[in-house]
Amino acid sequence: MAVPNDRKYLKSHEWFKVEGRSVTIGITKFAADELTDITYVQLPAVGKRVTAGQSFGEVESVKATSELYSALDGTVTAVNTALADAPELVNQDAFERGWMIRIECDNLGPLEGLMDGPAYDRATG
Amino acid sequence: MQQTRLHAVHVELDGRMVDFAGWEMPLLYRGIVEEHVHTRTAASFFDVSHMGRIAFRGADAAAFLDRICTRRIGDMAVGVSRYGHVCRDDGGILDDVIISRDEDHHLMVCNASNREKLLGWFAERRSGAVEWEDRTLETAMLAVQGPSAIPILEQLLPLKLADLKRYHFRSISMLGQTAWFFRSGYTGEDGVEVIAPAQFAEIAARTLMERSQALGTPILPAGLGARDTLRLEAGMPLYGHELDESIDSISAGQGWAVDLTKDFIGAAAMRRVQEAGPRRKMIGMEIDGRRVARQGAEIRADGATIGVVTSGAPSPTLGRVIAMGFVDATRAEPGSRVEIDLRGSSVTATLCKLPFYKRGK
């Protein structure tokens, strides 16, 4: 399974894709596979603040509950509402249709310390 | 890590292998929910070879088993199985087991995680003419479960199964090798659990898949993940969750598996619990919303802690989140509303009777 190299990765398996000051966040295919069938994704509402290093939501699967972490401070500008009825999108297409939130950030600096695609691939291989 | 004789089959079927009680076992193949649903609507096979299989022989075998098991063993006819617990003096549950009586021995099936512990515990309490042999590695065990399990197996085997009563077994022998078919399971579905010489496991699993496919009703592999959600819907306890050494069989809501009219290790303690009335009760919970309450989550009512969740998962059959747990006996009324603590926040739930799922007759 190819890990896209157009974004950055946390060790806790979240991905961060930058477009200007806007950053889209999701979890990796590896994480989704590990969790098994995802049944619910709890996400913050638009307008909420997320904080670097802190949990902004959680993913429920048949097997486990897992927290979602942000690498950045920011304000939520969009939430993938499709996940409310179809959380399985995260299993099916973790890097695209299974995205979770989009945030607006002032400081993208912390992303420099994150893994790129090949590094994440090696870390989870 | 120990591998079962079906390891090559699991890998070939793309099973995701995990460590379970020191055994490398498939958590899932195609997906937990898909395997769960296939078991409820057709049939699945589960490799349960990791479970312990111990054969007891000798003139005093039945008496020994009667002393270490909560159920009566001495009066069992050949061909009968019985579920029971092995307990400490204080009633704490060491394991839950199924004991079956064959012509020349009694067979105990125990949990993989407790096998070594039980063998040590038996050795310390040996008395009279009894010997046992750990047959776990030389045999394999396969559970075939689901509405199409019996009809398909009857087409593939020179053996009648439809008339075999629940918790009874039958064996077939050929060239000195025997396979046992037990009408039991851990899914809430009809089916059998099969014990056979280890070298037959792979050919049996492959033949079962190929021939059931050809008959138009595929029996597909299912892993430990589906086994857990299936047993939870069926309200069946799992050692390490609902049962452990800190609780006795009566308090664990398993009084049906205890015969207090006979003597056994732990009986005195359990008689006291029975007389005083158990302080906790095992109950089901239907949880509002889609967050999952898992083992260890506290159950509250009116601001007070009244119990703890022992197992929880989204139920594929019910389409909602369910859980099992223990609550104070005085607060266990089905229909009662409770709160369950989830890492700082909480969810609401309604207490309900077990099981969550019962198959149609």
Side-chain angles (χ1 to χ4, degrees):
Chain A
M1 179 57 60
V3 175
N5 200 21
D6 58 357
R7 60 197 86 187
K8 296 285 199 168
Y9 298 87
L10 268 181
K11 261 189 272 177
S12 52
H13 311 293
E14 292 83 1
W15 54 257
F16 301 83
K17 189 176 178 189
V18 180
E19 283 151 295
R21 297 224 150 275
S22 179
V23 180
T24 305
I25 307 176
I27 65 166
T28 65
K29 168 84 176 139
F30 176 85
D33 284 349
E34 281 294 303
L35 283 164
T36 73
D37 300 293
I38 291 168
T39 57
Y40 176 60
V41 185
Q42 189 180 48
L43 299 172
V46 170
K48 289 273 184 192
R49 290 286 296 171
V50 302
T51 307
Q54 291 193 5
S55 164
F56 65 82
E58 64 183 25
V59 181
E60 294 282 7
S61 77
V62 176
K63 199 183 119 210
T65 302
S66 187
E67 304 260 8
L68 297 165
Y69 292 96
S70 176
L72 299 164
D73 294 338
T75 304
V76 180
T77 58
V79 172
N80 186 357
T81 51
L83 299 184
D85 290 326
E88 64 274 15
L89 283 173
V90 183
N91 291 109
Q92 291 162 4
D93 195 5
F95 289 119
E96 298 299 334
R97 287 182 305 147
W99 69 278
M100 290 174 179
I101 59 170
R102 195 162 292 140
I103 60 174
E104 192 76 18
C105 303
D106 294 329
N107 178 16
L108 297 174
L111 286 185
E112 283 166 27
L114 269 58
M115 288 178 276
D116 61 9
Y120 178 78
D121 202 17
R122 282 192 301 276
T124 53
Chain B
M1 232 186 310
Q2 192 90 41
Q3 293 178 348
T4 75
R5 294 294 278 263
L6 285 179
H7 186 78
V9 175
H10 299 319
V11 170
E12 205 176 297
L13 292 167
D14 212 14
R16 187 186 306 163
M17 308 308 284
V18 295
D19 178 3
F20 184 82
W23 291 77
E24 195 178 343
M25 299 300 292
L27 175 67
L28 57 91
Y29 305 86
R30 305 171 317 283
I32 294 174
V33 173
E34 189 184 329
E35 291 161 28
H36 179 115
V37 172
H38 191 77
T39 311
R40 290 266 181 260
T41 54
S44 301
F45 76 86
F46 303 75
D47 180 9
V48 288
S49 301
H50 60 305
M51 298 194 76
R53 292 172 290 283
I54 308 167
F56 293 81
R57 289 191 169 80
D60 299 321
F64 176 77
L65 290 167
D66 249 326
R67 202 160 67 83
I68 56 135
C69 181
T70 54
R71 294 290 290 284
R72 200 174 284 279
I73 305 301
D75 67 348
M76 285 168 63
V78 171
V80 170
S81 302
R82 235 164 235 178
Y83 172 88
H85 294 170
V86 177
C87 297
R88 305 190 307 203
D89 278 314
D90 66 358
I93 304 165
L94 289 159
D95 201 7
D96 62 333
V97 301
I98 293 179
I99 295 174
S100 300
R101 173 154 182 224
D102 206 346
E103 304 276 353
D104 60 348
H105 70 283
H106 286 79
L107 182 76
M108 174 185 286
V109 174
C110 67
N111 280 295
S113 53
N114 292 329
R115 179 173 126 240
E116 300 286 345
K117 175 177 81 175
L118 287 188
L119 287 168
W121 201 78
F122 296 156
E124 286 168 22
R125 281 155 189 84
R126 182 196 299 267
S127 67
V130 56
E131 280 161 35
W132 50 87
E133 177 197 4
D134 182 359
R135 305 204 63 210
T136 309
L137 301 185
E138 66 201 63
T139 56
M141 186 163 171
L142 218 65
V144 189
Q145 302 278 302
S148 63
I150 300 288
I152 292 290
L153 285 170
E154 279 198 326
Q155 291 184 65
L156 303 182
L157 292 163
L159 184 70
K160 289 288 286 176
L161 290 169
D163 62 336
L164 184 63
K165 288 188 199 143
R166 198 149 170 84
Y167 275 89
H168 283 62
F169 69 92
R170 216 164 255 174
S171 60
I172 42 176
S173 294
M174 202 188 234
L175 304 172
Q177 303 283 0
T178 304
W180 290 266
F181 294 77
F182 303 81
R183 192 81 177 260
S184 51
Y186 195 49
T187 59
E189 293 302 330
D190 194 6
V192 288
E193 295 174 292
V194 188
I195 296 177
Q199 66 269 24
F200 293 161
E202 192 168 329
I203 185 77
R206 289 186 194 283
T207 305
L208 190 59
M209 284 188 284
E210 284 162 23
R211 296 294 302 144
S212 62
Q213 179 83 44
L215 290 166
T217 315
I219 294 179
L220 300 174
L224 294 180
R227 187 168 157 84
D228 189 36
T229 52
L230 288 159
R231 71 92 195 166
L232 177 60
E233 285 186 347
M236 293 168 157
L238 171 61
Y239 197 87
H241 286 257
E242 286 72 35
L243 314 176
D244 61 38
E245 292 186 31
S246 75
I247 192 166
D248 67 88
S249 311
I250 307 272
S251 300
Q254 306 298 304
W256 67 275
V258 178
D259 186 346
L260 289 177
T261 67
K262 67 152 198 167
D263 218 13
F264 59 90
I265 299 173
M270 284 194 226
R271 282 192 195 101
R272 287 195 293 275
V273 173
Q274 182 79 318
E275 273 164 35
R279 296 212 311 276
R280 323 185 252 184
K281 273 192 174 164
M282 190 165 86
I283 37 95
M285 284 157 277
E286 290 179 337
I287 293 165
D288 304 325
R290 296 172 79 173
R291 297 182 71 200
V292 182
R294 300 184 194 271
Q295 184 167 35
E298 281 188 2
I299 306 168
R300 297 203 182 119
D302 307 323
T305 299
I306 62 162
V308 63
V309 171
T310 50
S311 298
S315 158
T317 308
L318 277 67
R320 64 181 306 171
V321 179
I322 58 172
M324 279 163 82
F326 291 108
V327 298
D328 293 349
T330 56
R331 311 296 294 262
E333 190 60 34
S336 303
R337 297 283 293 163
V338 296
E339 272 192 7
I340 302 173
D341 185 55
L342 296 183
R343 303 168 296 277
S345 58
S346 66
V347 291
T348 51
T350 305
L351 300 187
C352 63
K353 284 187 182 161
L354 294 169
F356 298 98
Y357 168 86
K358 217 168 185 172
R359 72 172 184 273
K361 291 287 167 204

